[in-house]
Amino acid sequence: MSGCAARRYVAAALGRCRARGLPLWEPPPARGLRPLGAGGAAVVPPLLLPRRHLSSRNRAEGKVLEPVGVFEAPKQHGKYETGQLFLHSVFGYRGIVLFPWQARLYDRDVASPVTEKSENAAGHGSKEVKGKTHTYYQVLIDARDCPHISQRSQTEAVTFLANHDDSRALYAIPGLDYVSHEDILPYSSTDQVPIQHELFERFLMYDQTKVPPFVARDTLCAWQEKNHPWLELSDVHRETTENIRVTVIPFYMGMREAQNSHVYWWRYCIRLENLDSEVVQLRERHWRIFSLSGTLETVRGRGVVGREPVLSKEQPAFQYSSHVSLQASSGHMWGTFRFERPDGSHFDVRIPPFSLESNKDEKTPPSGLHW
């Protein structure tokens, strides 16, 4: 990435972060990226935050800036390694990469060489979309930033069913997120504990001889290996309608026995992004849920997770997670979100159809943080 391109990328990302209430400092253009050396390597500006950043809701008190790290040029090729620090380019939080996933991205905005119409089991017309490989990351979110991520329904958490002998219905591990490669705005830091999260020192350790200088502990490797089927991000579905892009990531959570029958559970994470400058507000949701058992359920309601988010140029994205259960080992979901424009008119945005699959090893129930 050239110095000018990287400068524009950093400036745009910082602008989005500032609009989300994270009072980041952006240097003037003269102190931005400047090429150095024969190779044209770019030096990026420092990432500064108020000293009292996120310590109080009264941000007027946070007048003193202190360095957090130094921005790096985003990678256009390859992937980020375990231990990479980053600023989320959409939601503005600080985080660190735990490990990458290679997912299949089914992007309905990209035309396939041969586009055909098909009818699924519920009679829902859709075009065939060929998946392509895309890199996502399992990351830790800095706990100091969580209270100020206003465009998320909650602090993101990974949830899955507890062991059968556990009295709790779910494990919830807060502050874990799945991040697309293009969401990452990388930076470096000399702080040996740059991210505040209860799992940071349990999963990672500082090693100044490495780049990045944070490496996986055995506990992280063991946790990933043991819970791989329940953490795995395998499919991502994306579609844009009227400049509103909907991205869906489903996760299988496990199976429960209830009243002599099996109940299968999934979590799905949805991001809504306004690609236009017009302000719109989500008003309603309309879901169709088809089960392999032959049932078709319709769900309508106001907003999502109790909220009716506004998507604007300053805050263009909203993300939330929810859960669904079926009395069959597979099925699929699709639907629409109804949005309202400032003039009171409405339009429907398609939710891309996605499969609910349970092809996991049921002999190994999910494990929480107990080694």
Side-chain angles (χ1 to χ4, degrees), residues 93-108:
Y93 65 72
R94 288 164 287 176
I96 191 166
V97 171
L98 294 181
F99 44 80
W101 292 111
Q102 291 300 309
R104 292 185 300 273
L105 173 61
Y106 297 92
D107 192 344
R108 291 172 175 268

Side-chain angles (χ1 to χ4, degrees), residues 277-291:
S277 58
E278 183 181 45
V279 177
V280 296
Q281 184 170 12
L282 175 63
R283 290 302 191 185
E284 299 176 8
R285 68 188 186 278
H286 177 201
W287 281 106
R288 306 295 297 275
I289 307 169
F290 178 78
S291 170

Side-chain angles (χ1 to χ4, degrees), residues 15 24 78-79 133 232 283 335:
L24 304 176
K79 65 178 185 294
T133 301
E232 181 180 6
R283 290 302 191 185

Side-chain angles (χ1 to χ4, degrees), residues 163-177:
N163 293 331
H164 289 270
D165 57 355
D166 198 314
S167 59
R168 293 172 296 177
L170 291 174
Y171 275 125
I173 307 173
L176 282 176
D177 201 1

Side-chain angles (χ1 to χ4, degrees), residues 214-235:
F214 305 98
V215 298
R217 292 183 182 272
D218 291 342
T219 48
L220 174 59
C221 299
W223 183 73
Q224 179 191 9
E225 181 178 358
K226 189 172 186 178
N227 293 294
H228 182 279
W230 321 102
L231 296 171
E232 181 180 6
L233 182 155
S234 58
D235 294 340

